[in-house]
Amino acid sequence: MKSICVFCGSSPGSTTDYIEAARLLGTTLANRNITLVYGGAKVGLMGQLAKSCIESGGKVIGIIPKHLADKEVAFEGISELMVVNSMHERKSKMAELSDGFIALPGGMGTLEELCEILTWAQLDLHQKPCGILNINGYYDRLMQFIDHSVEQKFMEQEHRDMIQIDQNPGSLLDKFEVYQPPVVNKAKWALKLTEDVI
Ligand code: AMP
């Protein structure tokens, strides 16, 4: 694994545990010689993650849309800062440059990015590992909701199980190394269910 994309809050969150987790992830990526790909901002957890990776000798590629760069939130001290035209362009560039995806705690932006990359995985548009760093149980309720979605037959168990979860960045990356993508394709599964039920 040469590069990992991290989605995380542009805010620091309510406790220093989140900041420490972002810093530990940055350091771990640097120590493992894995390039960090992220949203390019200097604010919140995003900034702490990038800063710690750079300070530990790592390589950081930030991808930021012009409208956010204009608001002076871009992190100028990283290895490479790419300014793109839109949020959509940013996300496809992040996906293209990365061998796996990790979500740290964050808000709507983080959730949206995590859900999109998981959606692309279940549609077989990529076969890369996706995981959550579940700091202080932040994502417990999201996982409960996803289990409810499986129970209600809006999601296949195999697609739920492709979400790797851990509290420690090193063990999450170890899981990524042995990850096997699911064989069930969402489109085929939905077609079969529709034929069976309707
Ligand atoms: P949120 O979790 O709502 O704070 O959003 C974080 C995600 O949305 C990041 O991964 C970024 O891609 C994007 N984002 C939101 N706010 C900013 C910002 N001020 N600067 C750069 N990216 C941002």
Side-chain angles (χ1 to χ4, degrees):
M1 214 153 293
K2 291 192 169 63
S3 56
I4 291 284
C5 176
V6 178
F7 308 127
C8 63
S10 54
S11 310
S14 64
T15 95
T16 51
D17 292 352
Y18 300 128
I19 297 171
E20 277 163 27
R23 288 183 183 152
L24 182 61
L25 176 57
T27 306
T28 305
L29 290 172
N31 290 344
R32 291 192 180 208
N33 246 334
I34 297 174
T35 299
L36 164 66
V37 177
Y38 88 116
K42 65 181 175 189
V43 290
L45 296 188
M46 299 173 76
Q48 293 304 305
L49 167 77
K51 188 166 176 274
S52 65
C53 192
I54 288 289
E55 283 174 357
S56 305
K59 183 176 173 195
V60 179
I61 301 177
I63 308 171
I64 194 160
K66 194 176 174 315
H67 79 279
L68 285 174
D70 289 347
K71 289 189 180 132
E72 298 179 359
V73 295
F75 195 144
E76 306 286 349
I78 53 178
S79 322
E80 191 178 344
L81 181 70
M82 298 171 74
V83 181
V84 294
N85 288 322
S86 67
M87 292 292 275
H88 284 109
E89 200 183 324
R90 174 202 238 175
K91 286 187 292 177
S92 46
K93 199 78 201 155
M94 281 170 138
E96 183 192 313
L97 294 180
S98 312
D99 299 320
F101 307 89
I102 293 178
L104 272 165
M108 202 59 92
T110 305
L111 274 183
E112 187 261 343
E113 290 166 334
L114 172 66
C115 289
E116 181 172 84
I117 209 68
L118 287 168
T119 304
W120 292 358
Q122 67 178 10
L123 290 171
D124 224 4
L125 292 172
H126 71 82
Q127 294 75 38
K128 301 170 183 175
C130 304
I132 286 174
L133 266 175
N134 193 18
I135 310 304
N136 286 356
Y138 180 75
Y139 281 110
D140 286 354
R141 275 161 282 186
L142 176 69
M143 293 316 297
Q144 275 166 18
F145 176 76
I146 291 175
D147 285 336
H148 174 65
S149 178
V150 172
E151 211 177 275
Q152 296 300 308
K153 294 197 187 298
F154 286 108
M155 196 187 298
E156 177 76 332
Q157 183 69 44
E158 265 190 283
H159 291 141
R160 185 257 180 247
D161 293 342
M162 74 189 176
I163 309 171
Q164 311 293 301
I165 306 171
D166 213 292
Q167 295 175 31
N168 177 274
S171 348
L172 185 62
L173 288 167
D174 291 345
K175 287 178 183 168
F176 276 21
E177 295 290 348
V178 294
Y179 173 75
Q180 295 291 331
V183 290
V184 179
N185 178 278
K186 166 83 172 167
K188 285 186 192 153
W189 178 73
L191 182 63
K192 184 176 181 313
L193 266 190
T194 306
E195 285 167 354
D196 288 353
V197 174
I198 304 176

